[in-house]
Amino acid sequence: MAGRGDFDLFRIGEEHDMLRDSVRALAEAKIAPYAADVDEQGRFPQEALDALTANDLHAVHIPEEYGGSGADALATVIVIEEVARVCASSSLIPAVNKLGTMPLILSASEELKKQYLAPVARGEAMFSYCLSEPEAGSDAAGMKTRAVRDGDFYVLNGVKRWITNAGVSEYYTVMAVTDPEKRSRGISAFVVEKSDEGVSFGAPEKKLGIKGSPTREVYLDNVRIPASRMIGDEGTGFSTAMATLDHTRVTIAAQALGIAQGALDYAKGYVTERKQFGKPVADFQGVQFMLADMAMKLAAARALTYQAAAKSQRNDPDLTFHGAAAKCYASDAAMEITIDAIQLLGGYGYTRDYPVERMMRDAKITQIYEGTNQVQRIVMARNLPK
């Protein structure tokens, strides 16, 4: 009978807690010291990649049969969350490796999985995801990139925009139109390699935040690839892309959680030390109420995100709603929490000498990418819980 207390009611496992402790220690020692410089210089966080790879944390989600750690969806969330707590740009390494490889994990042939997941698991390559285009953002099904069959090959032509870690990643999951008559049912997914002839990249975008993670256009100019590099059957690319996002929106929620946690931790420490009117700023009730609201929103966002991670792990039928809800709620909460953190630091919060302004700039993207929060609300409305 229920109620005897012999089951873990809303408590994560001990191994997850141990993972958090180890990732936090690593992030504070090896990633945090470079976060401000990475942002200031707009440079790729190589130190983070090296540290994550050395500790097998760069792509923990890859199943063991392909040489990966086989971490569950919650463990992946915890890794991303703890890295994002000190540097959002660096958290895009494990997050985008999952985004790029998820289409293969969901839909690819065994041969393709072995060929491309193993090098990622070994830390030899990163994997990016190419869905958006200049004229196809929220309306991804309106894409123009074409893949035309030519014997045992496909020839790809088009432009992909907003591609995270483009130019650094070795591999790219590319969605392209194979049958223009069928709209979303005429889209197929392919693996493209950086070294394929005809692949090139635009200049890095000049962004508000996540400046350490390069965002560039990917140009496909008569890129000829073997037909065996198609992920799944022809015409299934769009459904694979959408199924991928159901899982990876949870990782964006994790990023938002981490950014918000970093901002709350910093603000809490600051107001405890800072004195005004002869006492710590933390002693004023107005400040206490702000901190309480920040912590409450974060706790709600974390509960929603971890629940969505569990649904992602089990591939529950209601994952679509919960993934969208977690991403939307956590990113909105992160934006509110980081803005409040700046307020709590006063004038100091507005300067680049303190990390909270960076956290606010980084938080903003979590409301936009992998589907804007307006799109998340459409997704939720179409998938309301029964």
Side-chain angles (χ1 to χ4, degrees), residues 236-284:
T236 62
F238 192 75
S239 60
T240 295
M242 295 302 108
T244 293
L245 294 175
D246 285 344
H247 292 278
T248 58
R249 281 174 180 146
V250 185
T251 68
I252 303 303
Q255 258 180 352
L257 288 183
I259 295 167
Q261 186 71 60
L264 175 58
D265 291 349
Y266 197 90
K268 202 165 63 179
Y270 179 88
V271 296
T272 310
E273 299 291 313
R274 170 85 168 160
K275 289 194 169 64
Q276 291 289 280
F277 306 100
K279 59 179 180 178
V281 174
D283 286 358
F284 293 95

Side-chain angles (χ1 to χ4, degrees), residues 27-305:
E28 289 187 343
K30 298 278 169 66
I31 299 174
Y34 305 101
D37 184 66
V38 160
D39 176 70
E40 198 73 39
Q41 309 295 329
R43 66 174 181 83
F44 183 75
Q46 188 62 44
E47 299 88 351
L49 179 59
D50 294 344
L52 291 168
T53 306
N55 291 276
D56 268 338
L57 294 167
H58 59 289
V60 291
H61 68 285
I62 293 181
E64 287 173 357
E65 58 265 38
Y66 309 110
S69 311
D72 62 43
L74 180 57
T76 307
V77 157
I78 289 169
V79 170
I80 293 165
E81 182 185 349
E82 288 302 324
V83 175
R85 182 175 161 269
V86 302
C87 178
S89 292
S90 299
S91 72
L92 281 156
I93 294 167
V96 173
N97 273 337
K98 179 161 183 175
L99 176 63
T101 56
M102 205 68 205
L104 284 88
I105 291 168
L106 291 172
S107 306
S109 65
E110 272 309 303
E111 293 72 38
L112 214 55
K113 285 182 190 173
K114 288 194 180 84
Q115 186 180 348
Y116 287 107
L117 296 178
V120 178
R122 291 194 298 268
E124 292 164 11
M126 292 190 351
F127 221 122
S128 290
Y129 179 84
C130 302
L131 178 64
S132 294
E133 296 185 5
E135 297 302 319
S138 293
D139 176 20
M143 68 177 66
K144 301 279 184 282
T145 296
R146 285 294 311 271
V148 178
R149 184 95 196 209
D150 179 19
D152 290 337
F153 294 85
Y154 277 90
V155 179
L156 276 63
N157 280 286
V159 179
K160 292 294 179 178
R161 180 170 278 176
W162 313 126
I163 308 309
T164 305
N165 292 344
V168 184
S169 291
E170 207 57 49
Y171 306 139
Y172 299 81
T173 291
V174 175
M175 306 296 161
V177 177
T178 40
D179 186 344
E181 303 299 301
K182 293 187 179 162
R183 199 164 153 80
S184 67
R185 288 197 173 82
I187 291 169
S188 304
F190 301 87
V191 177
V192 171
E193 300 185 13
K194 180 164 82 168
S195 56
D196 288 335
E197 200 174 329
V199 174
S200 61
F201 305 97
E205 303 288 349
K206 298 179 175 75
K207 305 192 299 284
L208 174 73
I210 57 163
K211 293 183 178 182
S213 175
T215 305
R216 303 167 74 172
E217 286 190 327
V218 177
Y219 304 122
L220 305 159
D221 184 19
N222 287 323
V223 178
R224 190 179 163 85
I225 60 169
S228 59
R229 284 211 225 148
M230 182 182 276
I231 301 168
D233 296 330
E234 187 169 311
T236 62
F238 192 75
S239 60
T240 295
M242 295 302 108
T244 293
L245 294 175
D246 285 344
H247 292 278
T248 58
R249 281 174 180 146
V250 185
T251 68
I252 303 303
Q255 258 180 352
L257 288 183
I259 295 167
Q261 186 71 60
L264 175 58
D265 291 349
Y266 197 90
K268 202 165 63 179
Y270 179 88
V271 296
T272 310
E273 299 291 313
R274 170 85 168 160
K275 289 194 169 64
Q276 291 289 280
F277 306 100
K279 59 179 180 178
V281 174
D283 286 358
F284 293 95
Q285 194 178 49
V287 168
Q288 292 169 358
F289 282 8
M290 279 178 77
L291 288 166
D293 279 340
M294 292 158 80
M296 174 176 67
K297 289 171 190 170
L298 184 52
R302 185 170 280 117
L304 199 51
T305 302

Side-chain angles (χ1 to χ4, degrees), residues 138 327-328 367-368 371-380:
S138 293
K327 188 270 194 201
C328 186
Q367 295 179 305
I368 299 171
T372 64
N373 284 1
Q374 286 68 30
V375 164
Q376 304 308 323
R377 288 175 168 91
I378 295 171
V379 170
M380 284 185 271

Side-chain angles (χ1 to χ4, degrees), residues 14-25:
E14 198 180 334
E15 67 280 11
H16 287 101
D17 285 333
M18 286 162 60
L19 173 69
R20 182 189 303 284
D21 292 343
S22 64
V23 180
R24 179 167 294 193

